[in-house]
Amino acid sequence: MTMDQLMFAAQNKERILAVERSFVSSKKPLYKSNRVLIGEGRLRKQRRSGGSRPKAFFLFNDVLVYGTIVVYGKWYKNQKVVDLVNLQVEDVDDGVTMKNQWLMRTPCKSFYVGASSPEEKQAWLKHLESCLSSMQQGSAHGASVDLAVPWVPDHVSDVCMRCPNRFSFTQRRHHCRKCGFVVCGACSKQRAVITHMHPCKMKRVCTTCHSALSTGVHPLRAGSLDSEEEEEVKMNGGGVASEEDSWAVYVYMKPEHIIPTECT
């Protein structure tokens, strides 16, 4: 390796380890010798309530990492790691509640995120698509065909989207993991294996989707919420950055983030 390559490798390792250390709990090791930090910043991630919350995002050449902000630039929690091989990015128009947004689709979860400006949105999309292209071209399996649908926000309907039941304090909202509809408890008693989400874990599904899933379906009694729904219900309350915090500019492709030409 040349001196430039050695310096890049050392500096890149330290940047990745710094990101790894910034997650205070439930974290996975992030450093790999062939992993490169491409960019980082803050995006608003749509909540099922219809609002949005700022999350810290870190784009690497092979994965996208994000988490809940405790202290921006220092501490994060609830680390999520998305393999770029199975990620699809879809540009969408501005929504009523969130501007400069696009859709992230993965086999396990799909969600909308928004940037602070059209310029930052285009910067994110440009580098996401570049990394996705490189990863998916080099993958023997290619991108996953089955991707999770984004959940319909709670505020979209006051009535169950499968029956006439009206939501209330006692009639809680639930989400079908297959179609993403907002449904009542009576219409989401069934559970089924959705293989692209998990090969064996039962997921909450509505009656219509349960009927359609003729293979690999295992009905269970309505019971406690699965871990994904518990997380959504808790809404990550407490100890997070305020919704009114100023935006952080997306940091991308600084000279020190670019692999020396001898490495490519």
Side-chain angles (χ1 to χ4, degrees):
M1 296 179 70
T2 68
M3 184 60 67
D4 285 345
Q5 292 172 352
L6 290 170
M7 289 181 60
F8 174 83
Q11 293 167 358
N12 179 65
K13 178 179 180 179
E14 182 53 38
R15 285 191 293 270
I16 294 176
L17 290 176
V19 174
E20 185 178 306
R21 290 191 295 267
S22 69
F23 283 90
V24 294
S25 62
S26 304
K27 60 184 180 180
K28 297 179 181 179
L30 295 178
Y31 176 70
K32 291 183 179 180
S33 59
N34 60 344
R35 179 168 288 167
V36 178
L37 177 62
I38 302 298
E40 58 187 89
R42 181 163 59 179
L43 298 171
R44 287 191 175 274
K45 181 175 177 290
Q46 187 181 62
R47 302 166 65 178
R48 78 169 195 177
S49 62
S52 64
R53 168 162 288 176
K55 300 274 186 176
F57 282 78
F58 302 89
L59 176 61
F60 298 87
N61 60 323
D62 60 337
V63 294
L64 179 68
V65 179
Y66 66 94
T68 302
I69 299 170
V70 179
V71 178
Y72 188 75
K74 294 184 178 180
W75 305 112
Y76 312 101
K77 63 179 182 178
N78 301 330
Q79 181 196 73
K80 305 294 182 184
V81 180
V82 178
D83 191 334
L84 295 190
V85 171
N86 294 321
L87 175 66
Q88 286 187 10
V89 174
E90 181 181 336
D91 192 1
V92 296
D93 295 333
D94 288 352
V96 175
T97 59
M98 194 159 62
K99 307 297 184 182
N100 309 309
Q101 64 176 349
W102 65 93
L103 176 61
M104 303 268 209
R105 301 194 67 193
T106 77
C108 295
K109 190 174 185 180
S110 296
F111 52 91
Y112 292 91
V113 295
S116 63
S117 69
E119 293 75 21
E120 285 198 20
K121 173 183 175 178
Q122 291 308 312
W124 272 104
L125 290 178
K126 175 183 176 181
H127 294 105
L128 277 166
E129 289 168 359
S130 176
C131 292
L132 289 173
S133 177
S134 297
M135 279 298 298
Q136 293 171 1
Q137 286 178 6
S139 171
H141 303 289
S144 173
V145 175
D146 296 318
L147 300 171
V149 298
W151 286 6
V152 175
D154 284 356
H155 70 86
V156 168
S157 181
D158 292 329
V159 177
C160 173
M161 299 177 76
R162 294 298 188 194
C163 81
N165 282 340
R166 181 169 292 275
F167 296 120
S168 65
F169 181 77
T170 55
Q171 185 72 273
R172 294 183 57 247
R173 290 173 169 82
H174 302 281
H175 281 84
C176 172
R177 301 305 192 265
K178 183 65 176 176
C179 66
F181 279 14
V182 184
V183 292
C184 67
C187 289
S188 58
K189 290 181 179 180
Q190 304 290 352
R191 301 292 187 273
V193 172
I194 305 175
T195 54
H196 61 84
M197 291 186 175
H198 196 281
C200 57
K201 184 179 289 185
M202 298 295 184
K203 300 290 185 179
R204 182 188 293 272
V205 294
C206 68
T207 51
T208 300
C209 289
H210 181 266
S211 298
L213 291 168
S214 57
T215 304
V217 176
H218 304 278
L220 295 178
R221 296 193 307 271
S224 60
L225 303 178
D226 62 31
S227 60
E228 291 177 1
E229 188 160 354
E230 286 176 348
E231 180 182 352
E232 292 292 338
V233 171
K234 290 176 182 177
M235 292 297 184
N236 297 320
V240 299
S242 167
E243 295 279 353
E244 302 304 322
D245 285 353
S246 60
W247 280 93
V249 175
Y250 174 44
V251 179
Y252 61 94
M253 296 306 286
K254 286 185 174 180
E256 63 265 28
H257 290 197
I258 301 175
I259 304 175
T261 54
E262 293 87 350
C263 293
T264 58

